[in-house]
Amino acid sequence: MALTDELGALREETLAAIARAGDSAALEQVRIGVLGKSGTLTGYLRSMGSVPKEERAAVGKTANEVRVAVEGALEARKAELASAELAAKIDASAVDVTLPGRAQQMGTRHLISGIIDEISEIFLGIGYTVATGPEVETDYYNFEALNAPADHPSRGLADTFYVRDLSGDVAAVKGESDVLLRTQTSGVQVHAMEQQKPPIYVIAPGKVYRRDVADPSHLPQFTQIEGLVVDKGITFGDLKGTLDYFCKQLFGPERKTRVRAHYFPFTEPSAEVDVSCGICNGEGCRFCKGTGWLEILGCGMVDPNVFGYVDIDPDEYSGFAFGMGVERAACLKYNVPDLRMLLEGDMRFLRQF
Ligand code: DAH
């Protein structure tokens, strides 16, 4: 076959291959096969020197024409494929603006956080400030400086989570570890009296931990709010007046309070405060177990022994303290029968508050 015919055939073959190339990568393979370093057409152009003189002009011209035609076809196909590929890409990532939107769920403040703020606001309004202390606490702050005797049952393994020293492999048991998860916020009283001079008017909200199995009235982790007042001439009357004011602010002005004698190691005398049941108005019902009253907090006059641990002179100063369970207060305010409902995360329940 004459060289010009060979070139003609190559041209047809190449143009067909270009038309067949389905994507840019396939097209590039065709280009390399024809015009690349060892491409077929490149071979013809390189071997022009060995073409007999009389044919050279014609063959050269044809080869050139083939090159121009192939290059043109490559360009055209390349543009075609690029726009098809772009269109496919756009199609694949298309957003259907006619679809209805998905509504975002709006969260609400959790009831526990809400009540912490509500209680804090009541006390901030009468001049208290907020104090804090660590949740991982030492035996000293949680028990000892609060006048709890060494054999006090709450210090036992059955009631308190002791923290293991991770540097050793001995499981911490009482006696080997004096670090624990605080069982009450009362330890913040000791921190506050170490850090501030009287007059002291503080509340301390925070989490506490006990070895309890969750049931309607117990949780292994819950929140307490502690209160402490130390000043000159503070009496049990101040304690009663303050807590009665607090209960009426939190539960409503129609609620009554009563004070019952009780025992706590760090207060003397100690008491528990009850608020009249909001469901039966004190008549007696299932919620208040027929008594008409609901226990809301523990309190008392700061024991002089506690002042001894923080170098406050009990002849110069006196004070009162109180502590309440926040989850319990929330349940009493909203008549929720089971503490666990606060932690289940059921939006139908939580949205009501
Ligand atoms: N810490 C006590 C408890 O967890 C509650 C309490 C009682 C706190 C009397 C006080 C108080 O500050 O004076 O049961």
Side-chain angles (χ1 to χ4, degrees), residues 253-276:
E254 71 290 351
R255 304 290 276 265
K256 295 187 185 62
T257 54
R258 74 173 183 186
V259 177
R260 268 184 299 107
H262 200 77
Y263 170 76
F264 295 103
F266 41 92
T267 41
E268 181 60 36
S270 301
E272 281 188 335
V273 172
D274 297 337
V275 63
S276 56

Side-chain angles (χ1 to χ4, degrees), residues 217-240:
S217 55
H218 295 87
L219 295 172
Q221 180 206 300
F222 60 101
T223 318
Q224 284 189 334
I225 294 188
E226 192 75 17
L228 173 71
V229 168
V230 183
D231 205 344
K232 288 184 174 152
I234 297 294
T235 67
F236 200 87
D238 296 314
L239 166 62
K240 279 177 73 176

Side-chain angles (χ1 to χ4, degrees), residues 183-186 189 210 224 226-227 264 266-267 271 298-300 321-324:
T183 61
Q184 51 183 355
T185 45
S186 300
Q189 291 183 31
R210 292 188 188 175
Q224 284 189 334
E226 192 75 17
F264 295 103
F266 41 92
T267 41
C299 61
F322 57 89
M324 73 190 91

Side-chain angles (χ1 to χ4, degrees), residues 12 31 48 50 52 98 108 209 220 284 332:
E12 292 320 308
R31 188 192 69 75
M48 215 46 85
S50 58
T98 65
T108 52
Y209 304 85
L332 295 186

Side-chain angles (χ1 to χ4, degrees), residues 312-330:
I312 290 180
D313 182 357
D315 291 331
E316 190 179 356
Y317 291 104
S318 57
F320 65 77
F322 57 89
M324 73 190 91
V326 170
E327 287 78 1
R328 187 174 159 76

